[in-house]
Amino acid sequence: KLLGYPIMISIADFLGVEELRSVEFRNWTNTFSIANNRILLNDLQISALNSDFSINGSQGFDGSLDYVLGIKLSSYLSDKVRLSGTAGQILNLLKDKEGRVILNLSVGGNLSKPNISINTREQQKQLEELTRRELEKQKGVVEEKIKEEVKQIADSVKQKGVEEIKKKAEDALKKIFRKP
């Protein structure tokens, strides 16, 4: 259990989700290296009971932080997120099929007082992907409608053609068998 960790407290406050102050995890995997007085985390993955986290970045021996943090909240916690401004307005767009919010955060500042913010570059990529998928879906819907319309027009043209041929045949037969 991760309890009382300043970064998690700051994230809980930033998102308005008290349950994130304590994280009970099932799995924790990562690789790290140390260089230039910094601990470099590469692909830290935490599978928790209520969320999934992915973390990349570094922490200095002086307590300085520079992380990119991806959080996939449970649907229960996703409904509790409260963000201000534009981020709060587009929050529902950031949900996956299961109703889980996927957020990308930047963590900076110092370990004793972390600064949490939306990683707008990563969220923009996420929104662009969402838009691309929605456009593909709408493209398919439009293509199906067009195919349906073309079929209806073709059927209508065929029907008119058949009726016209019948009329011409009737007229021709009337001319052949007309009484003198």
Side-chain angles (χ1 to χ4, degrees), residues 11-61:
I11 290 171
D13 291 344
F14 181 76
L15 297 178
V17 180
E18 285 298 310
E19 290 86 344
L20 291 176
R21 288 179 173 272
S22 140
V23 176
E24 292 184 41
F25 59 89
R26 293 179 291 232
N27 299 312
W28 181 309
T29 59
N30 71 288
T31 57
F32 72 94
S33 59
I34 298 175
N36 300 323
N37 294 321
R38 297 193 73 74
I39 301 168
L40 307 169
L41 295 177
N42 188 15
D43 200 26
L44 185 146
Q45 299 290 324
I46 300 172
S47 179
L49 298 177
N50 57 6
S51 304
D52 296 315
F53 301 87
S54 65
I55 303 167
N56 287 289
S58 66
Q59 180 172 329
F61 291 158

